Amino acid sequence: MLPIDKTFYSDYFEKPSSSEIYLLSKDVAGKLWDRDIYSETSCYFDLPEECWIVASQRTSLGRWIAAYNDGRYREVADLLETAMTWSKKMTVRFFVNREVIFQTAWSSFLENWDDFLTAHDDCPLVIPEADSAREAVLFTSGSLYKILR
């Protein structure tokens, strides 16, 4: 696990709380992708119909793109905080693909969600670290969804 400021992605994370964000090694990322997403794929667009991300109930939470473009970042953070009843201390992972996964506390993600999407906005997933997690957040082109397993 590398602090984000020691990685290629450091330019995407500008806020002071970015020191709480880590990039997982490719080896660890691959194992987590296999366990938490689907073992025979490398990105969201390869997921088959039977993958829980695709097959599960999905609820629209709204659009993030207008708030992002207008610098109204708190709006999306408030929306996510209300929709996802996760503890602010809970560790979450931002899944880009099989090789790139960021890890941080939910509170840090809420403060920096826009930086995460600057780093990668092509259908990333946010999933709590807990094995018992039954929810996820999916960012698509402009919209966000809550996924229930």
Side-chain angles (χ1 to χ4, degrees):
M1 209 165 47
L2 281 172
I4 202 69
D5 61 350
K6 306 269 190 242
T7 72
F8 161 82
Y9 295 97
S10 63
D11 290 343
Y12 298 108
F13 294 88
E14 299 178 9
K15 298 178 185 135
S17 59
S18 68
S19 64
E20 303 165 5
I21 300 167
Y22 301 92
L23 177 66
L24 302 180
S25 71
K26 287 183 181 184
D27 183 53
V28 170
K31 289 174 184 170
L32 289 171
W33 182 274
D34 289 350
R35 187 191 81 187
D36 295 344
I37 308 291
Y38 197 83
S39 64
E40 298 172 23
T41 62
S42 60
C43 71
Y44 173 83
F45 299 103
D46 295 338
L47 297 176
E49 295 289 323
E50 65 268 15
C51 174
W52 74 272
I53 299 291
V54 177
S56 295
Q57 178 185 347
R58 196 179 281 196
T59 304
S60 175
L61 299 178
R63 308 241 334 130
W64 60 267
I65 193 71
Y68 178 90
N69 287 339
D70 295 340
R72 295 178 284 123
Y73 308 124
R74 191 71 231 162
E75 284 181 27
V76 173
D78 289 344
L79 175 67
L80 286 168
E81 190 171 10
T82 300
M84 310 309 288
T85 57
W86 300 338
S87 161
K88 288 196 176 197
K89 294 180 182 179
M90 178 180 277
T91 299
V92 297
R93 295 186 176 121
F94 183 82
F95 287 78
V96 171
N97 58 41
R98 169 178 293 289
E99 295 184 345
V100 180
I101 299 174
F102 301 104
Q103 181 171 296
T104 193
W106 179 233
S107 60
S108 182
F109 181 82
L110 292 172
E111 289 177 35
N112 298 282
W113 71 267
D114 54 305
D115 292 341
F116 281 90
L117 290 179
T118 299
H120 186 83
D121 68 351
D122 206 6
C123 293
L125 293 149
V126 180
I127 301 174
E129 175 185 45
D131 288 336
S132 61
R134 310 306 289 167
E135 302 174 312
V137 174
L138 170 66
F139 287 85
T140 63
S141 56
S143 297
L144 62 148
Y145 298 89
K146 178 178 184 175
I147 300 174
L148 299 173
R149 251 188 226 206

